[in-house]
């Protein structure tokens, strides 16, 4: 997507949603986009709650979040996905200051999980490993559920922000390559129960005394 086309699209969306500020984020913003990459936009307007505008635009998926403008002054962890976004339009310097606040929020780090919550997540892993062995529809559902949650839990149990699967996997490959290898093996179609259990052991390896495979 060239600059003029993007500008025309953003102006049309701003008018349609009454938005004064627009940010481009995701792969188009960080330079990693391919032919099938989404057009990810965040708009800010005088509205009371978040709106979505999702559709196809010239062969690409267009995914737009329209946020209340009050978010610009008080960002929360929910908006950390916008770190590194490109400012396409703003009122004054509101977007610039918003992105600076996001960087400060990220640098401060998340709150650690409460001990009981951390323990509950570890027990949940053991329970899911036990139930996925059934091999029936429910067991297979739990297998996918466990694999979906494992990467996020890996970050949460280490008091790290979870940046979404793409960035999380890249971080894991760079900083914890052994864990990345275990994760990649567990995610392969047809991975064995033992392979999945090995990845789960890595997810909760800060508590080696906790058995993760009750079978």
């Amino acid at each position: 997507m060239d600059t003029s086309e993007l500008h025309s699209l953003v102006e049309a969306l701003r008018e349609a949603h009454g938005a004064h500020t627009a940010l481009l984020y995701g792969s188009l913003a960080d330079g990693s986009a391919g032919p099938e990459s989404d057009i990810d936009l965040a708009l800010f307007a005088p509205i009371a709650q978040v709106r979505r505008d999702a559709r196809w635009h010239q062969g690409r998926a267009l995914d737009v979040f329209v946020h209340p403008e009050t978010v610009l002054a008080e960002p929360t962890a929910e908006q950390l996905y916008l770190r590194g976004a490109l400012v396409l339009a703003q009122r004054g310097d509101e977007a610039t200051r918003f992105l600076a606040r996001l960087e400060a929020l990220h640098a401060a780090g998340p709150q650690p999980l409460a001990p009981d919550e951390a323990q509950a997540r570890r027990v949940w892993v053991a329970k899911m490993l036990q139930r996925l062995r059934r091999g029936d529809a429910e067991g297979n559902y739990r297998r996918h559920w466990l694999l979906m949650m494992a990467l996020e839990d890996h970050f949460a149990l280490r008091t790290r922000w979870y940046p979404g699967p793409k960035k999380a996997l890249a971080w894991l490959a760079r900083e914890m390559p052994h864990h990345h290898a275990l994760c990649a093996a567990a995610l392969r179609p047809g991975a064995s129960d033992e392979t999945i259990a090995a990845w789960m052991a890595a997810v909760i390896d800060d508590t080696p005394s906790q058995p993760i495979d009750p079978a």
Side-chain angles (χ1 to χ4, degrees), residues 109-113 118 121-122 150-162 171-172 175-176 179 182 198-208:
Q111 290 295 313
L113 293 176
R121 294 195 187 199
R122 296 179 185 112
L151 191 57
E152 185 172 350
D153 280 348
H154 186 284
F155 277 68
L157 288 166
R158 289 160 179 79
T159 316
R160 290 186 174 274
W161 294 115
Y162 176 65
W171 184 91
L172 210 61
E175 303 293 337
M176 303 181 75
H179 282 201
L182 292 171
W199 165 227
M200 295 306 115
V203 170
I204 62 170
D205 72 353
D206 56 334
T207 54

Side-chain angles (χ1 to χ4, degrees), residues 128 131-132 134 138-146:
M128 297 294 275
R131 294 182 181 180
L132 67 81
R134 294 173 178 173
E138 182 190 349
N140 290 333
Y141 179 91
R142 290 178 181 275
R143 176 189 302 269
H144 291 290
W145 187 5
L146 178 62

